[in-house]
Amino acid sequence: MAADPLPPGWSKWNGDAEALRAFQEELAARVIVKDAYPRPLRTVAGFDVAFDENDATAHAAAVLLDATTLDVLETHVVHAPVRMPYVSGLLGFRELPALLEVLAALSVRPDLAFVDGHGIAHPRRLGLAAHFGVATDLPTIGVASRILIGESTTALHDMRGAFTTLRDEGRHIGWLLRSKPGESPLVVSPGHRVAMATAPEMTMRFVTTHRLPEPTRLAGNIAAARNG
DNA sequence: GCGACAG
DNA sequence: ATCTTGTCGC
């Protein structure tokens, strides 16, 4: 069951970050960190958002891919007004409205979604990808380029596909994944309906010759282009 | 008090 | 995120 992505009565940013953080803790309790997606996967979708220079408009992109061939089946971009400034830890409230709009533009609900941002590797275990997952009830994986919170103890080999644990306060919250040798690792974490152990390999399944997995990489490209 | 701080 | 040239590396 999908959850309301915004707190009751919340429509625009009023500076009350504490209220949003409290709401995140409620939603975080609804995140399911277990594999619950169709098998075999038929389609996957990647999501990302870009902003214009005035930070007035959010350009959200969605790319639908064939999960087996990685062929691009659909691409969509929507332009939505920005309702909130960037506040570390509250990214979901800033980008979700636009992401939900592009999701609606897809002709089918993807079997799995990749979102450019953290899943549960977040201070309150509700990064953008987890927020998206709970709001849509779609199996979701968060793929970020940098750590928001947490640390890894063991070394990460410089080999394609190598990964190591990311933990915070003793809890396993995600992974550092070397998607490409010589490049900084990706921070991968479950967003919703995906098990912790599944996230790295599932992400690698969509990594070709670039650091980012195709769903998120392609979505980022068209979001930045602001068309197509 | 001093940094850190997804996109 | 976005503003930006050349440059190093595969």
Side-chain angles (χ1 to χ4, degrees):
Chain A
M1 174 178 70
D4 197 314
L6 304 176
W10 194 94
S11 56
K12 64 183 189 308
W13 175 244
N14 61 355
D16 193 354
E18 285 311 311
L20 296 183
R21 293 192 184 99
F23 187 65
Q24 288 186 315
E25 303 197 332
E26 290 178 32
L27 290 182
R30 307 183 54 157
V31 173
I32 296 173
V33 186
K34 297 189 300 184
D35 287 324
Y37 45 80
R39 297 195 57 210
L41 290 178
R42 300 202 44 127
T43 62
V44 297
F47 298 85
D48 191 19
V49 184
F51 297 84
D52 59 24
E53 59 287 336
N54 306 310
D55 203 31
T57 306
H59 308 275
V63 178
L64 184 72
L65 312 174
D66 179 298
T68 302
T69 65
L70 269 59
D71 285 337
V72 175
L73 305 176
E74 294 179 24
T75 65
H76 300 276
V77 178
V78 299
H79 313 288
V82 173
R83 308 179 182 183
M84 202 192 127
Y86 167 75
V87 177
S88 180
L90 301 180
L91 197 58
F93 299 103
R94 171 173 164 81
E95 304 192 347
L96 259 193
L99 287 182
L100 296 180
E101 240 182 77
V102 255
L103 170 63
L106 292 173
S107 66
V108 299
R109 261 173 77 85
D111 288 338
L112 173 68
F114 282 94
V115 175
D116 183 31
H118 291 294
I120 62 173
H122 174 280
R124 289 167 296 286
R125 312 299 180 247
L126 195 82
L128 174 61
H131 201 154
F132 176 91
V134 172
T136 64
D137 205 34
L138 283 174
T140 309
I141 290 178
V143 180
S145 286
R146 307 165 52 143
I147 293 174
L148 206 206
I149 194 171
E151 60 285 313
S152 64
T153 305
T154 58
L156 176 60
H157 295 196
D158 190 25
M159 253 184 66
R160 183 180 190 286
F163 52 88
T164 185
T165 301
L166 177 69
R167 51 178 66 256
D168 176 49
E169 299 182 333
R171 303 292 303 168
H172 184 184
I173 61 174
W175 310 87
L176 292 188
L177 172 64
R178 187 134 266 150
S179 55
K180 183 176 182 178
E183 302 271 305
S184 56
L186 298 179
V187 183
V188 176
S189 60
H192 189 54
R193 291 182 178 286
V194 172
M196 180 60 81
T198 305
E201 50 194 59
M202 185 63 86
T203 298
M204 284 310 295
R205 188 169 152 182
F206 299 96
V207 170
T208 59
T209 64
H210 304 274
R211 182 170 85 115
L212 298 176
E214 292 304 282
T216 278
R217 188 180 72 81
L218 295 173
N221 286 173
I222 67 175
R226 288 150 195 172
N227 61 197

